[in-house]
Amino acid sequence: MATYLEFIQQNEERDGVRFSWNVWPSSRLEATRMVVPLACLLTPLKERPDLPPVQYEPVLCSRPTCKAVLNPLCQVDYRAKLWACNFCFQRNQFPPAYAGISEVNQPAELMPQFSTIEYIVQRGPQTPLIFLYVVDTCLEEEDLQALKESLQMSLSLLPSDALVGLITFGRMIQVHELSCEGISKSYVFRGTKDLTAKQIQDMLGLSRPAVPIQQGRPLQTPEQPAISSRFLQPVHKVDMNLTDLLGELQRDPWPVTQGKRPLRSTGVALSIAVGLLEGTFPNTGARIMLFTGGPPTQGPGMVVGDELKTPIRSWHDIEKDNARFMKKATKHYETLANRAAANGHCIDIYACALDQTGLLEMKCCANLTGGHMVMGDSFNTSLFKQTFQRVFNKGFNGEFRMAFGACLDVKTSRELKIAGAIGPCISLNAKGPCVSESELGIGGTSQWKICSLDPSTTLAIYFEVVNQHNAPIPQGGRGAVQFVTQYQHSSTQKRIRVTTIARNWADAQSQLQHIEAAFDQEAAAVLMARLGVYRAESEEGPDVLRWLDRQLIRLCQKFGQYSKDDPNSFRLSESFSLYPQFMFHLRRSPFLQVFNNSPDESSYYRHHFARQDLTQSLIMIQPILYAYSFHGPPEPVLLDSSSILPDRILLMDTFFQIVIYLGETIAQWQKAGYQEMPEYENFKHLLQAPLDDAQEILQTRFPMPRYIHTEHGGSQARFLLSKVNPSQTHNNLYAWGQESGAPILTDDVSLQVFMDHLKKLAVSSAA
Amino acid sequence: MGPVHQGNNYIGPGATPSLTSSGHPASFQGQLSPPPAQQQVALPPGSQVPPPANNLNGLCAQPSLPPIARQDGIPGPVSPNPNLQQLSAQASGPGYHPQQSNCGPQMAGSQLSYPGAFSGGPAHLSGPQQKKLDPDSIPSPIQVIENDKASRGGQIYATNARGQVPPLVTTDCVIHDQGHASPRYIRCTTYCFPLSSDMAKQARIPLAAVIQPFAVIPPNETPLYVVNHGETGPIRCNRCKAYMCPFMQFIEGGRRYQCGFCNCVNDVPPFFFQHLDHTGQRVDHYERPELSLGSYEYVATLDYCRNNKPPKPPAYIFMIDVSYRNIKSGLVKLICDELKTLLDKLPREEQEESSAIQVGFVTYNKVLHFFNVKSSLAQPQMMVVSDVGEVFVPLLDGFLVNFQDSRSVVINLLDQIPEMFADTNESETIFAPVIQAGMEALKAAECAGKLFIFHSSLPTAEAPGKLRNRDDKKILNTDKEKTLFQPQVNSYEPLARDCVAHGCCVNLFLFPNQYVDIASMGLVTLYTGGTLYKYNNFQLDADSPRFLSDLRKDIEKKTGFDAIMRVRTSTGFRATDFFGAIYMNNTTDVEMAAVDCDKAVTVEFKHDDKLNEDSGALIQCAVLYTSISGQRRLLIHNIGLNCSSQLADVYKSCETDALINFFAKSAFKAILSQPLKMVREMLMNHTAHMLACYRKNCASPSAVSQLVLPDAMKVLPVYMNCLSKSCVLVGRPEIPTDERAYYRQLVTSMGVADTQLFFYPQLLPVNSLDLKSDAIPAALRCSEERLSEGGAFLLTNGLIMFLWLGVNVPPELIQGLFNVPSFAHINAEATSLPDLDNPYSKKFKSVLKHIQNQKPYAMKFMIVKQKEQPEMLFQQFLVEDKSIYGGASYVDFLCCVHKEICQLLR
């Protein structure tokens, strides 16, 4: 099976694609019986340092409904200079520029190693990147100071021609004009009044007889800058001004009486930001960066009233239908998110507060537009500061790791249809022959808009096999999918990345073992998890869990080897062996369990889960645990309570948290100060090793995880204890004996119990 | 015997031909029986002379001279003019009810015609030329003024007795408060009230007081004492809540006092107790202002404050229209430059080092710009509010600042404003949102204050209070004419109400060069006790001195903020109607967002019972206000009037100047609801009625055809004529509607002195200036006849000043004043005279200064050369003549009044 693992790995490295099944069941019926849908995780902009973009336009299939891009899978008639589209079988003439091609002189896009290729195209005006800061001023002095410094710092990280704008808000909203000399000028809006885009533009003086921006015409006509330039200015021009302006920012001056929350008009502020960009730079890559230190407390989009005695809604309130502002607020932010997305603008939310800030209501702003969501305790923490800095990280070639306004177009061969996608995208409602009627995730379209993406942004795309059971295995024996991603590169170039993949068809009845062997259980786990999380957003938690369980049982029934009604006989092949364990941890994960999480936290976790790539997603589902001890080199250990031993240091990475946990003995040694003694230098090294490893993870992770350093018995140890499989609990401790591990005080079932039940149900003939 | 003043004796107007310069309607000619006037001799009011023994009622002297025969000797035949007969019949017929005659806002019921005036354009004399009535033989206002000056000028007038008639407003004297409020604060239409309402109805003399609570007191008079009772607060009658005053009678050895207003007996608070002396007067009578003075102030306690919180010092917010025109005309720069020095002169309490007043700045065109001028800022910050539909204040901290603290930021701002908008091309403006913004700012800062709005155009931008040009000359003289004086949209009235509720006074400086609908725009100003200033076709060079002087004066004015006035009366009568720059939420509380030294409220009283001759009629006016330093105070003015069962007493104690003030205000209020024609007729009718009643009840028997005028009302007809032909009451296409609305508004808040001058301008002969003395020459009657080709005359009505130059003015005068050799060289466009080092110029300038000093508005100065174009404008102010707009001449009006009287007496 090593071959399939290699195959999967190669494919992922080359194309950024991982399919749940790498050999496809050849009929609709068979496909449904496979339980796990045919789907893939696509990382559209996967970093490919070895792939230089080509500087010409892609060649498209001439059939208007197809327009697939010429790719290595196409049949080419070099003499006639014709090529056949592998999706619709249309025969196409090569364009004149291709007159010189032959078997030995092939353009890159025909070479098999270029199944993924990137084109740089000259299309439309090039507009600089746009960053619009939307800053909450209802912060504590310290927090505001830290935020101001971060913002000032960020100016130096922006490309110098990028346009930057500033909106501050508290009880009122101020849109700062950046162009003026002398007196600083801002437009002020009431925080309680919902304004239409038109009103906002009128009030900002942006609406003037619309001069349509013609394609290809340079944008910087003498008149053009005047409109928008008042609020959005190139960084190099207003650097100093803006630094001063940020420096002079004061806390919201309106008095807040005892027992009240400050009046915070996040809803209107965002609405104005969206309206401003909508009016000035529609269909141009832009980032609205919202920095907020608390929940919106007035106006449209308010999440909680200003009385401190009424706490912000909890899951309990939501279940009891007791969250009076939630629906209205969610609707407000959804409308904004959709408007922003329609214009290709993304919204980042940086929420730093000890209490909730309304991420639940605002989540769609980041989710639908591909924006970042960052949650922290304070702006004055390294978690926020470094995360924010990392937004402006640069990739291997010195370019920003951000791209804008992407449009993902998926084309499939006839036997396959597209059921939907789950990820930071919105539907473009492109109906076509390859769109399935059944929907999984955001369906009903073959095109999605991703307003902002980075090299790790990953979408789950679900397909449906439509080939009828009695129809023959499709011609050529391979099914193909093409992903065409058009986007605005951070260098403001327009680029198109095309990935074309093909997989073999197999008859599920005769060749089930092939299909089984080509199962990618990691991809499948993530794909199923995404479906589950997607469902959890709209359905009751227990329903989702039941659905997941049923799917798991069905999968085990289908692919397990067992004798009926004999749980002990149950076996799973190696390619499925880890899958139930993933599901066990997924069930316990904060993505599906709301217990102990605030609605904001759930939204935050789910947000990240729906956009990270496979590796990170797996870490989120099943955190990684490393053990450091004198008994050998650092090793990964089971995420199990039995791994918690007194003479071990554990390092757990849950994606959101990095926990370093010192076992009981180690902690005592440390307290005794052995690490300071020269003769125990090895102990010092042992203590240092997990720190170094953690640092390495911290370096690359976005957003910055919460870094927790704790020890046996420490209150923070709960982060570890809540994650490990509770194989030893207070209930069974004595049965297990005393030799190892730490009991977890929980009534949760352990993996062992879970597996026992699974086996029982899988083999049960009643099921 | 004191000086006996003789009334004029003259011939009835029936024989009077019209003046040759302007004819009057032919229908008037020769129709009226010309009754010989009876001479009335009356004692000068307030004189200590005992009445002659033979006087029946003891107050009215009998005529001692026989009537003078008509000059033409022809008995006045009753001419059979059907038109007039009919109208007169209506007037005196059964349909006429005297009760309807009170001249309140509802001037209904008058059926009297007023044939002498307004029957179209200038009519020409059609009848045979008749002999002219000698104008010198009819009562002269100038004579009255001069006589009063001669008899009482420069003396001390002590307010020690109830019901004294004070010197005229035109007479300079020193006033000693000895228990009744100085006439500077309160003047009454009559100082002796009729005893019963029947009597009052019979006489139809309006019973009113014109109260100017913050009037400026000359330095040689004692300023107001401030009484501070600490936490106890002012002492008040338990029942009627009147404040402790000289009218309270202490009894039972000083342990209790009886309220002079409601007769309730109250306990004297222990801390206030004092023994009585043998006359029943408290021992400390002269030590306590509230026991011995007519006017004084109390420090108010928290109970008298809004929300029971001590008030904050008031704020001044400057709101500048920075639309294209104001930038281009240089006005914005002018204002900003001026403010830099002006802000140092904000009013302050005498004992304080700097002013407590906060200042704020807003500019606007179609949107509003607020400025943060917090002292900690290096640069001011501008905040634009473009949501003019629902204006709000974008900042709290840093908007209103102490000028001294934020000096550098404010100066920086004022330097930058003109530059900031230098290339604006925004010509549309908003208005109501500007006021709203200022009001909200004061509300947010929880203080009272004044807005200074500098505005130039009709607010046509899309916003609340948007106005359109509705100036329609076609509706003049129709029933719809009154709408021109009403606001065109109804959003201004609620706005005014809100402003008053939050103590926001709106001062409006208008710089229009076309119709700006003052009736709408000025409404909030009027209701909030603000002042409206108007500079038509503002030219930087010509008009800025006038504007700046107004602005300076206004900023430095003594003002009370967030004021509420209550007028209490002794039993038997009560205040029923209030006129002025005020807002009334209910029938008793007069609310004023601010009240300054020039604002007067006219209060009308009505009987509700019989008065008592012994106790008289007592009035206490209390104004609760916030001072410029943010102290809550009560200003109390007390005045006692006499009561009499004799109408003659009432007539004797009348004050014509106050009457005119009352009539003007009530007529100007009435035009909102009634056709102008009816209002004018009402004035005429009222005049005739008062005089007829006098004639019937007080004058000695004489021929019916004789015109008899009470001494105190001798000049009432001429003043009434001036009022009824003032441009507010005369709809003529030549008179801009805005001008009428403007004057209407100004007069509504004027005090007695201002209305006197406004309706009867002062005409001074400049050529006969006595270069050696400081004295102002005696004025002349406002008639063309008084002018001479060889003279130069200065005419002023408090708003405008004309220097009229006859064609033959002596060259030395021209040289002296203008520094040009001859009449032809004089530039009539000039708006000021050069400062020259010669006695003519110096003397003239000092006269100008003297006149200007006493008046609230900087007067516009115009040069009129005889027989040149602007003379038309000038002639309007010669109020004794027939007006080019159809107003009757004095003589004609007098004839007409006389005729009415005859009808009434018949």
Side-chain angles (χ1 to χ4, degrees), chain B residues 27-50:
Chain B
S27 63
F28 188 58
Q29 292 308 310
Q31 66 201 359
L32 186 67
S33 68
Q38 181 193 22
Q39 183 191 40
Q40 289 288 308
V41 179
L43 289 172
S47 83
Q48 304 296 312
V49 184

Side-chain angles (χ1 to χ4, degrees), chain B residues 240-468:
Chain B
C240 68
K241 302 290 176 200
Y243 296 88
M244 177 55 65
C245 67
F247 305 144
M248 303 299 184
Q249 189 70 46
F250 286 87
I251 51 175
E252 296 181 23
R255 282 195 303 279
R256 314 181 88 181
Y257 67 93
Q258 184 171 29
C259 173
F261 297 94
C262 67
N263 300 324
C264 170
V265 174
N266 299 280
D267 289 335
V268 173
F271 80 92
F272 196 67
F273 174 79
Q274 188 58 260
H275 295 286
L276 307 184
D277 65 11
H278 64 284
T279 60
Q281 192 164 288
R282 275 173 64 124
V283 175
D284 62 352
H285 181 82
Y286 291 104
E287 286 153 32
R288 290 194 178 267
E290 70 270 35
L291 297 180
S292 53
L293 295 180
S295 304
Y296 47 88
E297 289 191 276
Y298 267 119
V299 173
T301 57
L302 284 185
D303 294 342
Y304 296 83
C305 300
R306 206 180 271 271
N307 305 329
N308 287 341
K309 277 198 286 193
K312 294 183 184 170
Y316 283 3
I317 303 178
F318 299 92
M319 315 184 91
I320 308 169
D321 167 4
V322 289
S323 63
Y324 175 74
R325 246 177 33 130
N326 279 1
I327 293 288
K328 197 155 169 266
S329 69
L331 179 66
V332 173
K333 187 161 173 23
L334 180 73
I335 296 168
C336 290
D337 286 347
E338 180 64 21
L339 283 180
K340 281 184 235 167
T341 52
L342 209 48
L343 291 175
D344 275 322
K345 298 181 190 149
L346 291 173
R348 58 186 164 87
E349 301 279 355
E350 261 156 41
Q351 69 276 16
E352 283 173 27
E353 223 166 77
S354 67
S355 173
I357 289 175
Q358 311 236 70
V359 291
F361 304 87
V362 171
T363 60
Y364 65 94
N365 39 44
K366 225 163 65 170
V367 296
L368 289 147
H369 319 111
F370 291 76
F371 293 95
N372 185 348
V373 284
K374 202 171 163 176
S375 55
S376 59
L377 293 175
Q379 278 262 12
Q381 291 174 348
M382 181 203 246
M383 298 172 118
V384 184
V385 170
S386 33
D387 186 1
V388 292
E390 252 183 274
V391 166
F392 59 97
V393 193
L395 76 169
L396 189 63
D397 187 23
F399 178 64
L400 293 177
V401 295
N402 183 305
F403 174 63
Q404 302 305 339
D405 296 346
S406 289
R407 173 184 292 271
S408 67
V409 192
V410 171
I411 298 280
N412 187 334
L413 171 69
L414 293 171
D415 279 335
Q416 291 200 50
I417 286 176
E419 287 168 33
M420 228 182 316
F421 299 98
D423 12 286
T424 185
N425 48 16
E426 187 57 71
S427 56
E428 286 196 310
T429 54
I430 49 172
F431 185 65
V434 179
I435 298 177
Q436 176 98 24
M439 187 261 288
E440 298 281 353
L442 294 177
K443 187 171 149 190
E446 294 176 326
C447 66
K450 258 195 217 184
L451 311 183
F452 292 81
I453 303 182
F454 306 92
H455 190 94
S456 71
S457 55
L458 198 65
T460 51
E462 202 51 61
K466 174 185 170 177
L467 299 176
R468 60 186 170 78

Side-chain angles (χ1 to χ4, degrees), chain B residues 445-514:
Chain B
E446 294 176 326
C447 66
K450 258 195 217 184
L451 311 183
F452 292 81
I453 303 182
F454 306 92
H455 190 94
S456 71
S457 55
L458 198 65
T460 51
E462 202 51 61
K466 174 185 170 177
L467 299 176
R468 60 186 170 78
N469 189 336
R470 50 135 183 196
D471 191 14
D472 184 2
K473 300 288 183 199
K474 285 201 280 294
I475 65 170
L476 295 181
N477 297 312
T478 68
D479 279 357
K480 279 192 185 151
E481 183 170 3
K482 62 186 179 211
T483 60
L484 291 177
F485 297 102
Q486 296 161 351
Q488 81 171 254
V489 288
N490 47 21
S491 57
Y492 284 98
E493 201 159 334
L495 181 60
R497 190 179 53 225
D498 283 358
C499 282
V500 172
H502 294 104
C504 168
C505 165
V506 179
N507 270 354
L508 183 56
F509 293 79
L510 276 174
F511 307 86
N513 53 8
Q514 59 191 17

